[in-house]
Amino acid sequence: MKNSVRAGLAGVLACGVIGTAIGIVRDDGGSGDDSTPSKGPYVALGDSYTSGPRIPDRTGTPAGCERSDRNYPTLVARRLGLDSADFDDVSCSGATIADLSAAQSTDDGVNPPQLSALSARTRLITVGIGANDIDFIGLIKRCVTAGAVYFATGSGTGSGGENLPGDAPCRAQYVSGDTDEVRQRTETAERMLSRTLGEVKRRAPHARVHVVAYPAILPADGHGCGREMGLAPGDVTFLREKEQQLNAMLRRRAEAAGAGYVDTYEPSEGHDACSASATRWIEPLVPASPAASVHPNERGERGMAAAVLDAMGAVDAMGTWFGLRPSPSSFRNIRAHQKVRVTPWPR
């Protein structure tokens, strides 16, 4: 997402907006291409949800890409035992799908086309992209502004806890009848991603590709998000729907391209920007932990790394991914292609 998100959202505010251990046994008793987790060379492509802006320490060039040495690609590379020669993180804050194929200017340097890092030697690729193509941060900023008016005019909930009419003022700016501006942007992004994933395959024909989804940014219940995000309850629902539509598009494109799809949404439910600071994966408008506004913190990057490793079948001997307890979907993913022995999680 955009480099300017923190400053942009802060500007809006300044204007008055407010147990299981796992043993894995291969079916054939040996190592086959379908069951052995991919290793390097590994190239990470993506935007700021991949690069991890404001999470110390910054690494790589250009500095304007704001890559963290604790982002999920780096954690995945470490868990796979890759050295620097077999790992290349070219993700960059603010990247769009077009920036995968063209040079991207940042506030501090130019990032070469991300696809230029791929070659016939590449064996593993993760792709986390798409949010900037639908201007998701811009959407949130406008919804925060609409939320300020909503709360200032005394709107809220009825005596029975129901949302009062007009509780989604931001949605009304994007959806009119059968016209949905954000959905149209997502459809345009889908066509672009389809072509780009084809180019990824052409450049790195021997690589396994995993398209990484976006984690849950907002909660299912919109009533608890006013303090942290300044959003009207109906607009929380609206924004969740738009993110889910984006992730559904990513899944479709991954499947059509023969790539893997990494679901980070399900394991991050309950760890959104409006959840408790001690457990959240996504920081709110004013971060309490080192991270950009409305972006993953270090805990979130660890969770995303765990989801990537889960999708690859690359679990460790104790089944504890970076100190995070695996989600129920983890076991479904692993059982799909391996025999699994499950023993009780230590309490």
Side-chain angles (χ1 to χ4, degrees):
M1 296 188 183
K2 295 294 184 186
N3 287 342
S4 59
V5 57
R6 187 173 184 177
L9 292 176
V12 172
L13 290 175
C15 292
V17 177
I18 46 103
T20 307
I22 303 175
I24 300 178
V25 180
R26 304 187 193 286
D27 289 341
D28 58 3
S31 60
D33 289 342
D34 292 336
S35 59
T36 303
S38 303
K39 290 197 174 184
Y42 165 33
V43 176
L45 314 173
D47 58 25
S48 56
Y49 268 57
T50 302
S51 65
R54 313 291 204 282
I55 302 173
D57 289 324
R58 183 180 291 186
T59 186
T61 58
C65 283
E66 298 188 281
R67 299 184 195 109
S68 168
D69 65 358
R70 300 181 186 182
N71 63 16
Y72 77 77
T74 302
L75 297 175
V76 168
R78 288 173 184 166
R79 185 53 59 95
L80 294 178
L82 301 179
D83 59 28
S84 59
D86 281 336
F87 171 53
D88 197 359
D89 179 6
V90 294
S91 62
C92 194
S93 293
T96 64
I97 295 170
D99 293 320
L100 300 184
S101 303
Q104 176 192 349
S105 295
T106 74
D107 294 337
D108 190 357
V110 176
N111 198 42
Q114 294 189 30
L115 295 188
S116 65
L118 304 180
S119 72
R121 289 187 62 251
T122 308
R123 291 296 183 269
L124 174 63
I125 301 167
T126 54
V127 185
I129 202 76
N132 289 321
D133 291 87
I134 68 171
D135 190 24
F136 199 73
I137 287 299
L139 178 61
I140 291 176
K141 287 167 60 177
R142 179 174 286 187
C143 289
V144 168
T145 302
V149 176
Y150 171 84
F151 290 113
T153 56
S155 299
T157 58
S159 59
E162 72 280 7
N163 293 342
L164 294 176
D167 74 328
C170 183
R171 182 185 187 279
Q173 299 179 43
Y174 288 92
V175 181
S176 177
D178 294 332
T179 302
D180 184 332
E181 182 180 342
V182 184
R183 183 184 291 275
Q184 291 173 347
R185 294 176 188 173
T186 303
E187 291 170 352
T188 299
E190 183 164 10
R191 292 189 290 271
M192 294 179 64
L193 185 59
S194 178
R195 293 191 294 269
T196 300
L197 289 176
E199 181 63 11
V200 167
K201 181 64 175 177
R202 188 189 71 80
R203 291 177 181 239
H206 307 297
R208 289 187 179 178
V209 181
H210 296 271
V211 177
V212 182
Y214 291 89
I217 297 172
L218 296 168
D221 183 359
H223 289 94
C225 233
R227 179 176 181 180
E228 297 287 4
M229 292 293 292
L231 296 167
D235 284 334
V236 173
T237 301
F238 168 64
L239 290 168
R240 272 178 61 92
E241 290 174 351
K242 296 300 107 178
E243 186 187 2
Q244 289 169 341
Q245 288 171 8
L246 174 61
N247 280 339
M249 179 274 281
L250 296 177
R251 181 189 290 273
R252 287 194 301 273
R253 287 305 95 210
E255 292 175 349
Y261 174 77
V262 180
D263 180 11
T264 66
Y265 195 93
E266 180 182 353
S268 61
E269 287 268 48
H271 302 286
D272 53 81
C274 300
S275 62
S277 61
T279 58
R280 68 169 64 118
W281 291 18
I282 307 295
E283 290 300 312
L285 293 178
V286 180
S289 297
S293 299
V294 200
H295 276 69
N297 53 29
E298 184 178 349
R299 186 182 301 107
E301 292 290 338
R302 291 202 312 268
M304 295 176 75
V308 172
L309 290 166
D310 167 28
M312 293 170 54
V315 298
D316 67 16
M318 292 302 295
T320 54
W321 295 286
F322 308 103
L324 299 171
R325 182 169 180 168
S327 68
S329 64
S330 300
F331 303 119
R332 291 196 295 273
N333 291 341
I334 297 168
R335 287 189 182 106
H337 59 86
Q338 292 176 311
K339 295 178 181 178
V340 178
R341 292 194 299 267
V342 179
T343 57
W345 184 269
R347 298 184 181 277

